[in-house]
Amino acid sequence: MLLTYQFKLNPTSEQVVILETWGELLRRHWNYALGERLDWLRCTRSEIDRCSLVYEPIGRIPDKPDYYTQASDLKRTKELFPDYKNIYADCQQQNLMRLDKAWKRWLIPDKKGKTGGKPRFKKRGDISSFTFPRVNSPKAGAHLVGNTLNLSKIGEIEVILHRPIPEEFEIKQATILSKADGWYCSFSLEDKTVPELLPIDEIKTATGIDVGLEKFLTTADGQSIEVPQYYRKAQSVLARQQRKLARKINGSKNYKKQAKKVARNHLHVARQRKEFHYQVAHWLVKSYDLIVFENLNIRGLARTLLAKSILDVAWSAFLQIMEAVAVRRGKHTVRVDPRGTSINCSSCGERVEKTLAIRVHTCSCGLVIDRDWNSALNLLKRGSVGLPIPVCGGLDSSQPMKQKVSYVNLRCSRYTASGVAARVVTDKVAVPTG
């Protein structure tokens, strides 16, 4: 299993200039290599309703460019442009590999028949990262010794190791990247101590989770987590900073200084959200052996009027994090079809039509329950079909509950990017009746 540890770098002013120069030269090389591929594509394709002699320029059709032909041209590039001699060769090859992967994603469909977007020409500053594919090996361009990272043709850079790298982890590659608040290094680590998946016969606890905008998620045993709304809370500050940016002269020093402030604010919001996702994911995986969740079309939902709120909670990022944490701990996750989960009754299966404004599920069988809780119970039933596991949580319709559901407070030991201890609070999600 590959893990990524990211640490902040403390380069000198001279090293910062070198890092920025490398990014600019790699950007130009990306654009040239992409233009070469697009020129070949235009010369070998024509519209179906016209002759190719009309559509194509007359002349010799160039050979098809690929990674190997463009990598072999690096020697000639260094002869024509001596600045590229100062860049470590593996970094230039990795830059072409990225382009080759993006090109193939665009033209070659995957197993589901889907393709990626067309590769784009990069503007100044778009390429702010480059990769050293080997670390701490005899022919590697990057060597990490203690808290010092020695990069070929750049020199030694101090690494702020806020957490130790376990000795059993093997460093595969190092990626140097620029963010709004400085330079970072991401180490790809191979962890050979990943536990095996828990046998199905040993699953003792299971739950379904229903994600939403009113509550971030609701579990099948009635616990819910409130939506933090990090972007919504930071909107006023972001709007004020962006108005200041709009008043600056584009390209001036004040404009660049203000642009960095805006970028740092957005980076802070993203870090808060990511930290919250990890806290909730670790809590779920620690509490349950099997987690069932909805296989949502989040990209389609993000095109609705609720786009800002949907992108703020970032369900897709959270579900990916939760799956990764579950694999790391040997737990199970299952995606199921979400259609009908909030309409069908979790007790008798009867279809109860309701609009989004109705937040309480009321069925003729006597079950009165929060809409999201009902959906979580249906998800758990779908995900546990055919599995010899107990269905944990939920309500028994034969014995209606008369007491109210109590609050449960969960305190996490980790901290958010702002330095304030995070608190995951569950809320009352059912209205039990006698």
Side-chain angles (χ1 to χ4, degrees), residues 347-364:
S347 178
C348 63
E350 183 181 350
R351 189 176 180 87
V352 181
E353 298 287 347
K354 47 184 169 295
T355 62
L356 288 175
I358 301 175
R359 306 310 304 172
V360 177
H361 171 82
T362 305
C363 183
S364 58

Side-chain angles (χ1 to χ4, degrees), residues 130-146:
F130 41 87
T131 301
F132 291 85
R134 292 172 291 183
V135 181
N136 290 347
S137 62
K139 295 184 179 180
H143 296 271
L144 179 65
V145 180

Side-chain angles (χ1 to χ4, degrees), residues 22 26-27 29-30 33 37 67-68 70-72 74 78 87-103 105 122 127 129-135 141 172-176 188:
W22 281 28
L26 292 175
R27 179 190 72 87
H29 194 212
W30 168 288
R37 290 172 180 253
Y67 165 73
Y68 299 101
Q70 293 182 330
S72 63
L74 285 174
K78 294 177 181 179
I87 302 179
Y88 188 62
D90 285 356
C91 296
Q92 300 180 57
Q93 294 172 3
Q94 290 292 316
N95 191 41
L96 293 176
M97 285 185 183
R98 289 183 182 179
L99 174 60
D100 190 60
K101 290 180 181 179
W103 184 264
R105 278 199 303 268
K122 304 293 186 181
I127 292 184
S129 66
F130 41 87
T131 301
F132 291 85
R134 292 172 291 183
V135 181
K172 289 296 186 179
Q173 67 180 22
T175 300
I176 312 300
S188 294

Side-chain angles (χ1 to χ4, degrees), residues 50-68:
R50 64 194 69 187
C51 176
S52 61
L53 293 178
V54 176
Y55 183 78
E56 299 172 5
I58 299 177
R60 186 183 70 86
I61 297 177
D63 297 332
K64 180 180 179 180
D66 56 13
Y67 165 73
Y68 299 101

Side-chain angles (χ1 to χ4, degrees), residues 374-407:
N374 178 71
S375 179
L377 288 169
N378 284 326
L379 290 170
L380 178 57
K381 288 182 179 180
R382 290 187 183 183
S384 59
V385 172
L387 299 178
I389 59 174
V391 178
C392 305
L395 295 175
D396 185 1
S397 60
S398 62
Q399 296 179 355
M401 295 175 61
K402 295 184 178 181
Q403 70 277 15
K404 294 184 178 180
V405 180
S406 61
Y407 288 91

Side-chain angles (χ1 to χ4, degrees), residues 223-225 279 283-284 287 407-413 422-426:
Q223 300 184 88
S224 67
I225 299 176
Q279 290 172 359
W283 168 67
L284 284 172
S287 303
Y407 288 91
V408 180
N409 295 333
L410 301 173
R411 295 187 180 274
C412 300
S413 59
R423 185 186 182 191
V424 183
V425 182
T426 62

Side-chain angles (χ1 to χ4, degrees), residues 9 21 28 94 117 134 184 209 243 248 281 288 293 315 352 363 370-371 390:
L9 300 177
T21 303
R28 296 178 184 179
Q94 290 292 316
R134 292 172 291 183
Y184 289 80
I209 58 172
R243 282 197 298 270
K248 308 295 182 184
Y288 305 101
F293 59 94
W315 294 326
V352 181
C363 183
D370 181 84
R371 176 196 183 110

Side-chain angles (χ1 to χ4, degrees), residues 34-46 55-56 61-65 103 106-107 118:
L34 177 58
E36 193 177 28
R37 290 172 180 253
L38 292 175
D39 289 342
W40 171 83
L41 195 65
R42 283 191 289 266
C43 290
T44 56
R45 301 291 186 275
S46 62
Y55 183 78
E56 299 172 5
I61 297 177
D63 297 332
K64 180 180 179 180
W103 184 264
W106 176 44
L107 296 178
K118 179 180 177 181

